[in-house]
Amino acid sequence: MTNNKFVINWIEEMAELLEPSEIMWITGEQSQLDQLKEEAIKTGELILLNQELHPGCTLHRSAVNDVARVEDRTFICTEDKEDAGPNNNWIAPEEMYGIIKPIFKGAMRGRTMYIIPYSMGPVDSPYSKIGFEITDSIYVVLNMDIMTRVGRRVLERLGESEDFVKGVHSTAELDDKKRYIAHFPEDNTIWSVNSGYGGNVLLGKKCFALRIASHQGKNEGWMAEHMLILGIENPQGEVKYIAGAFPSACGKTNLAMLIPPEVYRKKGYKVWTVGDDIAWMHIGEDGRLYAINPEAGFFGVVPGTNEKSNPNALGTMEKDTIFTNVALNLDNGSVWWEGLDSNPPENGEDWKGDAWNGKTSKEKGAHPNSRFTSSARNCPSISPHWEDPQGVPISAILFGGRRAKTAPLVYESRDWQHGTFLGATMASETTAAIIGDVGVVRRDPMAMLPFCGYNMGDYFQHWLDMGGELGDKAPKIFHVNWFRLDENGDYMWPGFGDNMRVLEWILNRCENKVDAEEIAIGYIPKAEDINREGVEEEVSLSKVRELLKVNKEEWLEDVENIKEFFKPFGDRLPVEIKDELNKLEENLRN
Ligand code: GDP
Ligand code: PGA
Ligand code: MN
Ligand code: MN
């Protein structure tokens, strides 16, 4: 497949360690992928769904102890512990290899070793980067084929270069006590073992495109961020792009695929999807910030997806989709999940494969972190510019999380430095996307806490440096919260398509078309400037006022929590960020 001696040497070394009985290069040809799919169906690794209802679609069930990312088993292995920072689990590279090599030794005995050459980003983009994933899982091969660009064309682009990321994955024995997701950012290497769950094993995604790439971006002057990218087309046909960082399972995919409410559609507004999880951003020739989506598909949360909340996601998963950990309807070979409709199968199997009657059972049919893997090309709202090699120019950046209280519906930072502070102090309630407790508020800067491949103090500095370079061409930075609750524990804001109303205010701010009120935390909208025209679920003006309310007591509690969070960063925390924190506290006390 290749004459690249760096690739060949590395693969020989890995084959010697892993001792597979066969080696197969993934070429990107459909016939090869079809054959692998057939093999996985034979062994039960994939379940073929009703092909009339779901053409090309299959269901995969992961092991019951292997259903989400494992942050406590994820490591950043740098020579110096300080370079990984207090935000990461750290083990020195030599020591980690000492732990992990014996686990990998002979792990592919009797199995096939698949070699996947892949590109993060369109193969012809100057911003794309190349990786290899060695794996013993067909599920991984088929997912990587959807999520990235794989095969021969990638090797052609690489040529003789040594510039590629070396990833090795083995499901081994799926022993969760010997599960390691280990990153070596100083040698562009990723080793993942004893897991079969997407975020731990699709090495192009979180491991490369965020953890390794954030480290590369810091050194090379660009940014790898946990962000969706969308375009809003106004009635004049102009498109403005927004990037947004929300933690896992906090609404990126839904916002990226937003369908504007009818009043907007009638006027001629349209939303285009560019990416739903990761943005790589560079400063373009004109001095503006440009973003590419390094992925080629979506690995989206399934539960809660329905005709009303996200029809574009449903459209995307109509064909050629791999479902992971949803419920199966045995009567018609279809799939079901919580929140799809009120008609769960009576004769079904839950995500674990146990007999399940959705009408009577109190157990969930789908795992809360069940996922769909679909090609971006299948998305009805995919942007005509989603594969532009130079990316799309970003007008606004959003930060947001799940906050039952404290954070208002939307507010704007005073400038880039203050915006960086908003990102650095983001918080959100934990979700099912990570193994551990759900619903606990934790600080998650830029939604990158689990994904920043280096010391986050340095990462904040990198944000400040990028802002310095962008100057007055920098995107404006906002904070949003769709998840505020009322006293009964119900969401106060309808969310989903109606988030368009907030995006409209944001774009109006970018174009200086609307005023705002400056308060302690930044600029907040006047309630009457949030467009309530035709809102389906009655949102009164006083409710919007409630959604925008800032309670100083709650905010001062947050300030204390932020101080605690920043402590371990010591001198690596930029003074600008400390200044902003002092300013916030002062503003709140006045
Ligand atoms: P991602 O993991 O960040 O891409 O998040 P998703 O877009 O997949 O959404 C995760 C969960 O949050 C799903 O169950 C959605 O239904 C729910 N969600 C997304 N957007 C909203 C919103 O605007 N309001 C509310 N209440 N829930 C939302
Ligand atoms: P998400 O992606 O952000 O769509 O949840 C997976 C993850 O972050 O684990
Ligand atoms: Mn994510
Ligand atoms: Mn998502």
Side-chain angles (χ1 to χ4, degrees), residues 77-80 83-84 93 183-189 212 215 219:
C77 307
T78 46
E79 288 296 336
D80 184 347
D83 291 337
H183 305 70
F184 306 87
E186 287 152 1
D187 344 288
N188 287 339
T189 298
I212 299 284
H215 181 266
N219 294 332

Side-chain angles (χ1 to χ4, degrees), residues 69 197 205-206 226 246-249 252-253 276-277 299-301 371 433 451:
R69 287 185 290 102
Y197 171 73
K205 193 175 181 57
K206 304 301 183 178
H226 191 197
F246 313 153
S248 304
K252 291 182 299 302
T253 302
D276 84 324
D277 196 45
F299 181 66
V301 174
R371 298 270 170 169
F451 307 120

Side-chain angles (χ1 to χ4, degrees), residues 65-85:
N65 65 355
D66 193 21
V67 293
R69 287 185 290 102
V70 279
E71 295 188 354
D72 60 331
R73 310 296 307 165
T74 300
F75 296 85
I76 298 294
C77 307
T78 46
E79 288 296 336
D80 184 347
K81 182 171 194 234
E82 287 294 304
D83 291 337

Side-chain angles (χ1 to χ4, degrees), residues 134 140 171 184 225 232 283 333 338 345 363 430 448 465 494 585:
I134 288 175
V140 168
T171 49
F184 306 87
E225 299 296 334
I232 299 181
I283 299 178
E338 278 66 26
E363 301 279 311
T430 50
M448 282 289 278
D465 294 345
E585 184 167 9

